[in-house]
Amino acid sequence: QVLHINTLLQPPHNPQLSAALLSVFVDRAADLPVRRALWGGPQGVRGGLSPSLSCPQTCAPSTDPVWDEGFSFLIKRPQSEALELQVKDEGGQSLGALSLPLPQLLASEGLALDGWFPLAGGGPSTQILLRVQLGVSVSLPTPLGTPWLSPSTAGGPGWGWGTDLLPCSSPPEAAEGPLGVLQLTLWYHRDQQKLVAIAHCCRKLRPLSKELPDPYLSLLLQPDRGRSTKRKTDPQKKTLNPDFNERFEWDLTPEEVSRCSLEVQVKSRVSFVSREKEVLGKLHLDLAQVDLSNGGTHW
């Protein structure tokens, strides 16, 4: 979910966003092939641009040294990166190495592995005790209101905070309206002076005929500055619960944003050969009344 959200939030020409934090706690090693060991620390995360950490610490002569050290790495692509770890002696010679693909963590309960791992290049029983865990931050804002899609003849006064990231699920019961609900992410990028919207999904739309609609979203900034402010998603076929997951941008100064409102209409073509559209519902938001600084996901 976070990887997909990052693809939507990623500004052009910017460094790739991190998706998770990898925490590594190294406890001890056992049955090293020499008496004196130098802990070289995790050697970074292969396959990405994560920082490399190296904190050499000489242990007392032992084949079973204890370190009790922790490290952390920002991870961009957990589905393809790997943790590389080495234990070395004072001369820099390897006593054992471990390559741990991060997809193993993605498949583990709690995104964590805790236990003894065999070290390659050491003795047949050389191993290391460590805990490795991926941490993912998921925002869960407190609900602020009761949002809904209003009939097309009136604007919708509600605007509330959602608690879902992608993929969309059913909204809270309190958020249901007569024509369904819409999930959006809105924020203002001050450095680039852009208003950014991510159209996530609709849930529980109401059909206007016996046929299921092909819904799409039409977004328009008002006061209308012409067709240049209009955006729309691709239509989804025959559904009352469409997923869009599309990003849109408008070049606006902070003063212009404060004077704008955003109208989002849920539409469907009447037929394949017709240019006529039917409006399933719409939402009208005064952007001066919306907190655009944090980029929250809203129903």
Side-chain angles (χ1 to χ4, degrees):
Q1 294 180 28
V2 172
L3 288 170
H4 182 49
I5 291 169
N6 280 359
T7 64
L8 298 173
L9 301 181
Q10 181 67 51
H13 312 301
N14 279 38
Q16 185 175 358
L17 297 173
S18 298
L21 182 72
L22 177 66
S23 299
V24 183
F25 179 77
V26 183
D27 190 328
R28 66 188 67 201
D31 297 327
L32 293 177
V34 294
R35 296 186 59 200
R36 188 172 179 83
L38 179 69
W39 166 235
Q43 299 300 301
V45 180
R46 174 168 52 82
L49 299 177
S50 301
S52 177
L53 292 182
S54 182
C55 303
Q57 175 180 325
T58 302
C59 302
S62 173
T63 59
D64 302 309
V66 177
W67 292 293
D68 289 335
E69 285 198 67
F71 303 88
S72 60
F73 303 90
L74 288 173
I75 302 300
K76 298 178 180 179
R77 294 176 294 277
Q79 74 278 29
S80 61
E81 297 182 51
L83 174 70
E84 303 287 351
L85 178 148
Q86 286 193 35
V87 179
K88 300 179 181 180
D89 64 16
E90 285 186 307
Q93 296 299 310
S94 177
L95 306 177
L98 172 68
S99 179
L100 181 63
L102 298 190
Q104 291 186 22
L105 287 174
L106 295 177
S108 301
E109 183 178 359
L111 302 179
L113 293 172
D114 191 351
W116 288 96
F117 295 83
L119 290 173
S125 58
T126 300
Q127 54 187 337
I128 192 165
L129 178 62
L130 51 91
R131 176 177 177 83
V132 187
Q133 183 166 24
L134 280 173
V136 180
S137 176
V138 179
S139 177
L140 296 175
T142 303
L144 298 177
T146 304
W148 62 82
L149 284 174
S150 66
S152 59
T153 55
W159 179 247
W161 288 87
T163 59
D164 312 57
L165 295 177
L166 301 180
C168 292
S169 61
S170 297
E173 290 185 6
E176 293 188 18
L179 297 180
V181 288
L182 165 69
Q183 192 184 56
L184 293 173
T185 295
L186 279 177
W187 82 95
Y188 183 69
H189 197 304
R190 286 195 169 271
D191 291 342
Q192 298 184 11
Q193 293 204 341
K194 291 180 183 291
L195 175 67
V196 181
I198 298 176
H200 293 288
C201 63
C202 290
R203 290 294 179 262
K204 298 186 178 181
L205 296 177
R206 304 295 189 265
L208 299 182
S209 64
K210 294 182 179 180
E211 297 291 330
L212 286 176
D214 296 337
Y216 67 93
L217 299 182
S218 174
L219 297 85
L220 180 67
L221 284 182
Q222 297 177 339
D224 187 6
R225 299 189 302 165
R227 296 180 61 86
S228 63
T229 72
K230 189 173 184 179
R231 308 286 189 270
K232 65 179 182 179
T233 67
D234 293 328
Q236 305 299 304
K237 297 294 185 181
K238 306 298 181 184
T239 179
L240 297 175
N241 298 288
D243 291 302
F244 303 108
N245 298 325
E246 296 189 40
R247 171 186 171 129
F248 303 99
E249 296 181 351
W250 294 267
D251 293 318
L252 296 170
T253 66
E255 293 74 21
E256 289 174 320
V257 171
S258 65
R259 295 194 297 266
C260 284
S261 60
L262 176 66
E263 180 181 273
V264 184
Q265 295 192 57
V266 186
K267 297 181 178 181
S268 176
R269 287 187 176 180
V270 175
S271 68
F272 179 76
V273 297
S274 172
R275 296 178 61 88
E276 186 180 354
K277 310 292 191 302
E278 59 181 5
V279 178
L280 305 178
K282 76 175 183 179
L283 183 69
H284 190 87
L285 299 172
D286 181 355
L287 297 183
Q289 304 301 315
V290 178
D291 182 4
L292 299 173
S293 59
N294 294 322
T297 300
H298 307 65
W299 283 106

